[in-house]
Amino acid sequence: VEARPEGAVVIEAADKVVETPMRSFLSRSEDGAFAVYRMNGLTPEQGKGVVAAARRQIGKPNDFFLRKSWDQLYSSELVRLAFSDVGVEVGRPRKMSSVASDLGIVRSYYMREWSTNEDCHKRNLTQEQCWAVLTKQEVVTPSSIVNDNRMTKIFEVAKVEKKSFTLSRANEKKDAAPAP
């Protein structure tokens, strides 16, 4: 996210990596709910570097098959790449087969589009063989990024009213009380 005088923009991996005005981005949220997270400990220069790194990816196509490639990017891969450009590793790659809760949407898309997967075409794989290969790949999920212990939820919105939204501060993380 980049704050600008004319309004914030989100650099996102949609059909391709694009800049989207914040209000347009938020209008696509499920039930109007969203959360904003901040990486603790970033310097202002690193923050600008993350945005600049993401901006350099504008125009690259979305990687719907979640390949390990910088030629095409999926959403959390874009975030990981942008932060790594300033020396901050965020999110943790995991085999797709171990993130079962995130596979429903991916499998649904895959079943419709698997025949366009160049990797599977080159190897003459069937749909099921291609899916088996896909689930062995390592991916970075959005949840692995927001669950990074350096991330702090700073805003959350529970509902949208009359085409506008209200922000509420998230509960601040508090240190546990010292042991007696």
Side-chain angles (χ1 to χ4, degrees), residues 3 8 45 47-48 55 64 76 94 100 122 135 145 156 159:
E45 293 78 23
K48 289 175 186 173
R55 182 171 290 109
F64 295 106
S76 46
R94 296 178 56 199
K122 288 176 187 173
T135 61
I145 292 173
E156 61 185 344
K159 65 180 182 175

Side-chain angles (χ1 to χ4, degrees), residues 111-166:
M111 289 300 183
R112 287 190 314 272
E113 303 293 332
W114 82 277
S115 64
T116 64
N117 186 319
E118 294 173 20
D119 298 333
C120 292
H121 262 292
K122 288 176 187 173
R123 296 171 64 189
N124 292 319
L125 300 177
T126 66
Q127 186 180 45
E128 285 305 314
Q129 290 169 330
C130 188
W131 177 250
V133 168
L134 186 69
T135 61
K136 291 177 185 170
Q137 293 175 175
E138 285 194 331
V139 295
V140 175
T141 63
S143 61
S144 78
I145 292 173
V146 299
N147 289 324
D148 185 299
N149 63 4
R150 296 166 296 169
M151 289 288 190
T152 300
K153 186 189 299 183
I154 57 171
F155 292 109
E156 61 185 344
V157 172
K159 65 180 182 175
V160 173
E161 298 177 16
K162 298 181 185 175
K163 296 187 180 183
S164 66
F165 57 90
T166 56

Side-chain angles (χ1 to χ4, degrees), residues 9-51:
V9 296
V10 176
I11 301 171
E12 63 168 327
D15 287 337
K16 61 183 179 177
V17 178
V18 295
E19 281 188 357
T20 303
M22 179 66 81
R23 288 197 181 271
S24 297
F25 180 81
L26 294 177
S27 72
R28 299 189 317 253
S29 67
E30 187 173 321
D31 296 328
F34 69 91
V36 177
Y37 291 82
R38 176 178 293 142
M39 171 63 75
N40 297 323
L42 281 185
T43 65
E45 293 78 23
Q46 285 176 308
K48 289 175 186 173
V50 169
V51 171

Side-chain angles (χ1 to χ4, degrees), residues 162-176:
K162 298 181 185 175
K163 296 187 180 183
S164 66
F165 57 90
T166 56
L167 296 176
S168 60
R169 273 222 181 265
N171 292 335
E172 294 293 327
K173 291 182 181 178
K174 302 212 188 286
D175 294 330

